[in-house]
Amino acid sequence: MTQVANGAELHAPTETRSIINPATGAEIAVVPELGADAVDAAVAGALTAFESGPWPAMVRSERARLLLRIADAIEGASEKLYTLEALNNGRPITETRAQLSRVPEWFRYNAGLLAAQRQAVLPGDGPYLTYQQRLPLGVCGIITPFNHPLLILARSLSAALANGNTVVVKPSEMTPLTTLALLDIMTEAGLPDGVVHVVTGGRDAGIRLTQHPDIAKITLTGGTEAGRAAALATAARFARVTAELGGKTPVVVFDDVDPTAAAEGAAFAAFVAAGQSCVAGSRFLVQRGIYDAFVAALTVRATAIRVGDPTRPDTQMGPLISARQRDKVRDLIETGVAEGARLAAGGGIPELPDTLQDGFFLEPTVLADADMQMTVALQEIFGPVAVVIPFDDEHDAVRMANDNRYGLGAGVWTTDVGRAHRVASRIVAGMVWINDHHRLEPSLPWGGVKESGIGKDAGTESFDDFSWIKTIVVRTAAEPVDWYGGAGQGRLN
C-alpha cells in the first residue's frame, strides 16, 4: 500500500521515483512521486483530524506521554534508522549514529515544555482578571532537506505535535526513507490517525504546500530562494514561516592558538556530512602569524580523511548526494583555482573499490591563499571544500566574517577569553561556536539572520511559535456596567 498518512492511503499515484544510494548509484527504494493533488488530499486529511480528531483536544499530560512513547520507540528502532539514513544520504554510519541517537531528545524536550507550560495572568487596573491561553495553529507544513532529514524533521515535528497541531511533511525527494520509517514508528506508538501525513514528491509538492490556504505555518530548511518563495507565499495569507536557509559560515582562527590543534579541531566544520551542511565552515579566516602552519596542518588532516562506504564503521566521509551536486562542487573548485586560489589538497575523485565506482564521491579539498572577492569565498559550496583566507587583526577578522549575504553560523578559535566574547558579539550570525563547531541542543534556538532565514527552530522560541495567544478579560466586580446610563464612566479603555 502507498502510505502517505498514518493509517490512511490518500493517493494512488501513477508516477514513482527511484531512491538512489549515493555511494553506489544503485536504486534502493521506489516511492510515489506525488504532486499538488496529493498535497491537497493530505492537508484535507490533516484539517479533518485537527477539527474533529482527538489530538488537539487531548489532555496536555496525555499528549506529553505519547510524545515520550514516540521517543522511546525511536530509540528502539535506532539501529535501523542509522543504517537507513546512511544508505539514503551517504553520511558515514558513525555520523548518523551520533546524530540520530539525539532525535528522541527533541520529543522529550518538547513533551517537557508542554507538561510545564503555564498560562500567563496579566496585571491590570480595576476589577478585572486577565489571562491568556495558548492554542494550536492548525495544520502545519514541514519541508525538510536531504542532508539531515530525520533530525531536522524531529526539531519542528516534536514542537508542532506538542502544541496540538496536525502536520503535513514534504521530505526531500532524494531522502524520504527515514521520514517514512518515522511515520510507521509514530503510528505504532499510538499517534492518532490523520495527525501526521507524509507526501513524497518534488518541487511541485513543496510549492503547493507553501501556497495552500489551509496551512497555518510552514517550517522550511533549504536554499535561500526556496525560503524567499515560501515567505512570499505565506505572507499573502498572513501565515507563519520559519526558514533556515543557506550559509557561508566563517571560522575565525587567531594566532594565539596552536595551529595544528586548531586545524584538526576545525576540520570537522568543513568536512562533516561531506560539507553538505548549511553551517559548514567553508571560510577559514586565519591570522597571518599562523596562516602557513594552519594550512599545512589542515592539508594533512584533509588528506588523511578516510573516504568510502558509509556503512563501514571506519569510513570518515561518504559521497555527495548526487552526481549533479558533485559536478557543481568540482566546477566551483576549478573556478577557485582559476581565480587564483591554491589547491592544497583534494579536488579530485578518490580511488575506491569497484563497488563504489558509480558513487558520487569527492576528495576533501583545501583551497588556500584565497581572498574575499573570489567566488568560492562568496558562494555557498555545499561540498567538502575548505577555503582558507588570511587576515591581519581582530578588526580585520570581524569585518571579513560579516562581509557576506548570509548570517547563519560562525566559529571562533582563540585562547583569549575576552577576545572570544568580543568577537562573538560582533559577528552577525544566529549562532557562534567558540573553539568548537556545529554543536546543538534541543534548548538551543537554531536559525540565522540576513539571507540565512527567519525564525528559530528548537528551543522555547520554536515551541511557542507553533501556537497562538488568546487574551481573555473577565470583569469581576458585582455592580452592573451601564456606560450610557452613567455607570462605569471613569475609564474608557
Side-chain angles (χ1 to χ4, degrees), residues 338-379:
E339 291 179 355
R342 174 169 60 89
L343 184 64
I349 307 298
E351 293 186 9
L352 295 169
D354 291 344
T355 54
L356 304 177
Q357 289 302 310
D358 292 329
F360 314 128
F361 293 91
L362 187 63
E363 293 173 329
T365 300
V366 177
L367 289 175
D369 306 340
D371 62 51
M372 291 295 295
Q373 284 68 51
M374 291 182 181
T375 303
V376 291
L378 298 172
Q379 185 173 325

XYZ file of all heavy atoms in Angstrom, residues 338-379:
302
model
N 41.099 28.903 -10.870
C 41.228 29.846 -11.982
C 41.297 31.288 -11.483
O 41.947 32.138 -12.106
C 40.060 29.673 -12.946
N 40.642 31.573 -10.351
C 40.652 32.936 -9.807
C 41.858 33.201 -8.915
O 41.986 34.295 -8.373
C 39.352 33.188 -9.046
C 38.128 33.261 -9.965
C 36.830 33.497 -9.195
O 36.865 33.504 -7.946
O 35.778 33.679 -9.842
N 42.717 32.191 -8.733
C 43.956 32.432 -8.016
C 44.168 31.662 -6.737
O 45.223 31.784 -6.107
N 43.198 30.856 -6.307
C 43.386 30.058 -5.101
C 44.350 28.904 -5.394
O 44.458 28.436 -6.528
C 42.055 29.515 -4.595
N 45.011 28.442 -4.336
C 45.954 27.329 -4.475
C 45.302 26.045 -3.993
O 44.785 25.989 -2.876
C 47.219 27.614 -3.668
C 48.212 26.462 -3.607
C 49.541 26.903 -3.017
N 49.424 27.420 -1.665
C 49.496 26.664 -0.548
N 49.669 25.352 -0.653
N 49.394 27.223 0.643
N 45.336 25.011 -4.836
C 44.776 23.720 -4.465
C 45.789 22.999 -3.574
O 46.745 22.398 -4.054
C 44.458 22.899 -5.710
C 43.764 21.550 -5.482
C 42.389 21.750 -4.862
C 43.640 20.784 -6.805
N 45.545 23.062 -2.261
C 46.485 22.467 -1.315
C 46.194 21.004 -1.045
O 47.094 20.248 -0.658
C 46.452 23.247 0.002
N 44.951 20.586 -1.236
C 44.581 19.180 -1.011
C 43.321 18.870 -1.789
O 42.453 19.727 -1.969
C 44.356 18.910 0.473
N 43.229 17.618 -2.256
C 41.997 17.119 -2.842
C 41.680 17.693 -4.203
O 42.553 17.972 -5.015
N 40.376 17.841 -4.444
C 39.884 18.397 -5.692
C 39.473 17.373 -6.718
O 38.840 17.713 -7.719
N 39.823 16.091 -6.482
C 39.525 15.076 -7.480
C 38.608 13.987 -6.948
O 38.058 14.071 -5.851
N 38.453 12.953 -7.775
C 37.655 11.787 -7.396
C 38.579 10.781 -6.713
O 39.614 10.410 -7.270
C 37.002 11.142 -8.627
C 36.223 12.185 -9.435
C 36.100 9.984 -8.209
C 35.089 12.827 -8.707
N 38.257 10.322 -5.518
C 39.148 9.396 -4.826
C 39.155 8.017 -5.478
O 38.197 7.618 -6.143
C 38.554 9.329 -3.420
C 37.109 9.671 -3.607
C 37.055 10.661 -4.734
N 40.248 7.306 -5.305
C 40.340 5.925 -5.777
C 39.633 5.023 -4.768
O 40.003 4.964 -3.603
C 41.803 5.516 -5.924
C 42.533 6.261 -7.032
C 43.943 5.727 -7.234
O 44.268 4.685 -6.624
O 44.707 6.359 -7.983
N 38.618 4.304 -5.243
C 37.781 3.493 -4.369
C 37.549 2.122 -4.994
O 37.795 1.928 -6.201
C 36.440 4.198 -4.128
C 36.510 5.527 -3.367
C 35.178 6.244 -3.435
C 36.920 5.292 -1.918
N 37.065 1.147 -4.231
C 36.769 -0.181 -4.792
C 35.746 -0.111 -5.910
O 34.974 0.853 -6.026
C 36.217 -0.946 -3.580
C 36.753 -0.221 -2.391
C 36.843 1.215 -2.782
N 35.740 -1.139 -6.739
C 34.829 -1.185 -7.891
C 33.373 -1.023 -7.480
O 32.571 -0.438 -8.225
C 35.003 -2.503 -8.643
C 36.347 -2.579 -9.357
O 36.983 -1.518 -9.521
O 36.753 -3.697 -9.732
N 33.002 -1.512 -6.301
C 31.606 -1.428 -5.858
C 31.153 0.012 -5.627
O 29.954 0.286 -5.563
C 31.405 -2.219 -4.557
O 32.356 -1.751 -3.578
C 31.602 -3.712 -4.802
N 32.115 0.940 -5.519
C 31.789 2.343 -5.255
C 32.094 3.245 -6.443
O 31.988 4.471 -6.331
C 32.560 2.839 -4.028
C 32.357 2.045 -2.726
C 33.241 2.617 -1.626
C 30.896 2.058 -2.292
N 32.455 2.659 -7.575
C 32.865 3.464 -8.725
C 31.747 4.329 -9.274
O 31.998 5.368 -9.902
C 33.411 2.552 -9.836
C 34.765 1.945 -9.513
C 35.827 3.005 -9.248
O 35.995 3.933 -10.032
N 36.541 2.872 -8.132
N 30.501 3.920 -9.069
C 29.370 4.709 -9.563
C 28.795 5.641 -8.497
O 27.747 6.258 -8.701
C 28.265 3.774 -10.073
C 28.690 3.020 -11.323
O 29.484 3.577 -12.108
O 28.236 1.879 -11.508
N 29.489 5.726 -7.356
C 29.056 6.646 -6.315
C 29.498 8.075 -6.608
O 30.268 8.333 -7.539
N 29.042 9.005 -5.785
C 29.238 10.432 -6.056
C 30.273 11.025 -5.085
O 30.012 11.985 -4.362
C 27.903 11.167 -5.949
C 26.775 10.455 -6.664
C 25.584 10.171 -6.012
C 26.930 10.039 -7.983
C 24.556 9.508 -6.668
C 25.908 9.366 -8.652
C 24.726 9.094 -7.990
N 31.458 10.447 -5.103
C 32.499 10.799 -4.143
C 33.365 11.947 -4.647
O 33.545 12.137 -5.847
C 33.382 9.581 -3.860
C 32.674 8.470 -3.143
C 32.038 7.454 -3.851
C 32.632 8.443 -1.764
C 31.378 6.430 -3.190
C 31.976 7.423 -1.087
C 31.345 6.409 -1.809
N 33.928 12.678 -3.682
C 34.863 13.752 -3.973
C 35.856 13.837 -2.822
O 35.485 13.653 -1.657
C 34.119 15.080 -4.120
C 34.927 16.299 -4.579
C 35.482 16.081 -5.984
C 34.062 17.557 -4.544
N 37.100 14.094 -3.136
C 38.116 14.188 -2.102
C 37.908 15.423 -1.225
O 37.496 16.479 -1.729
C 39.506 14.279 -2.733
C 39.944 13.029 -3.466
C 41.253 13.245 -4.209
O 41.511 14.389 -4.647
O 42.000 12.262 -4.358
N 38.201 15.319 0.070
C 38.228 16.526 0.900
C 39.234 17.525 0.322
O 40.361 17.152 -0.009
C 38.693 16.006 2.262
C 38.357 14.548 2.248
C 38.524 14.104 0.825
N 38.807 18.757 0.170
C 39.571 19.737 -0.615
C 39.900 20.967 0.224
O 39.055 21.472 0.971
C 38.756 20.150 -1.857
O 38.500 18.974 -2.646
C 39.504 21.170 -2.693
N 41.130 21.446 0.072
C 41.564 22.684 0.717
C 42.013 23.653 -0.366
O 42.907 23.337 -1.160
C 42.709 22.441 1.712
C 43.188 23.770 2.310
C 42.273 21.488 2.821
N 41.376 24.812 -0.421
C 41.771 25.888 -1.325
C 42.398 26.991 -0.478
O 41.708 27.679 0.281
C 40.559 26.430 -2.086
C 39.951 25.515 -3.154
C 38.691 26.149 -3.735
C 40.943 25.220 -4.261
N 43.702 27.139 -0.589
C 44.438 28.109 0.221
C 44.697 29.391 -0.563
O 44.470 29.463 -1.774
C 45.759 27.496 0.688
N 45.181 30.408 0.170
C 45.597 31.685 -0.419
C 44.465 32.350 -1.204
O 44.686 32.995 -2.237
C 46.820 31.495 -1.331
C 47.974 30.803 -0.619
O 47.989 30.807 0.634
O 48.851 30.245 -1.300
N 43.249 32.184 -0.705
C 42.096 32.813 -1.351
C 41.930 34.234 -0.824
O 42.604 34.665 0.115
C 40.838 31.995 -1.086
N 41.019 34.971 -1.448
C 40.669 36.297 -0.935
C 39.153 36.454 -0.956
O 38.435 35.632 -1.518
C 41.370 37.409 -1.722
C 40.971 37.455 -3.192
O 39.752 37.475 -3.483
O 41.868 37.471 -4.061
N 38.681 37.526 -0.359
C 37.251 37.700 -0.139
C 36.464 37.991 -1.409
O 35.236 37.951 -1.395
C 37.019 38.830 0.864
C 37.462 38.499 2.278
S 36.481 37.160 3.000
C 34.875 37.930 3.067
N 37.142 38.271 -2.516
C 36.435 38.556 -3.755
C 36.220 37.308 -4.616
O 35.493 37.356 -5.611
C 37.203 39.603 -4.580
C 37.071 41.032 -4.048
C 37.753 41.216 -2.710
O 38.917 40.849 -2.553
N 37.039 41.780 -1.755
N 36.848 36.222 -4.265
C 36.723 35.008 -5.077
C 35.341 34.389 -4.939
O 34.693 34.477 -3.887
C 37.781 33.988 -4.658
C 39.200 34.383 -5.022
S 40.378 33.091 -4.537
C 41.925 33.853 -5.059
N 34.906 33.731 -5.994
C 33.592 33.078 -5.990
C 33.471 32.091 -4.849
O 32.434 32.008 -4.183
C 33.361 32.373 -7.332
O 33.477 33.321 -8.399
C 31.998 31.719 -7.378
N 34.546 31.328 -4.599
C 34.487 30.308 -3.552
C 34.416 30.912 -2.155
O 34.053 30.220 -1.195
C 35.692 29.348 -3.650
C 35.591 28.474 -4.891
C 37.014 30.114 -3.627
N 34.770 32.189 -2.023
C 34.664 32.867 -0.733
C 33.303 33.513 -0.538
O 32.947 33.874 0.590
C 35.754 33.929 -0.607
N 32.554 33.657 -1.600
C 31.264 34.337 -1.549
C 30.084 33.377 -1.628
O 29.052 33.591 -0.993
C 31.158 35.344 -2.693
C 32.172 36.480 -2.701
C 32.052 37.272 -4.015
C 31.958 37.405 -1.510
N 30.219 32.321 -2.399
C 29.097 31.446 -2.727
C 29.093 30.203 -1.852
O 30.144 29.632 -1.555
C 29.188 31.037 -4.207
C 28.013 30.212 -4.705
C 28.078 29.996 -6.206
O 28.517 30.859 -6.943
N 27.650 28.833 -6.648
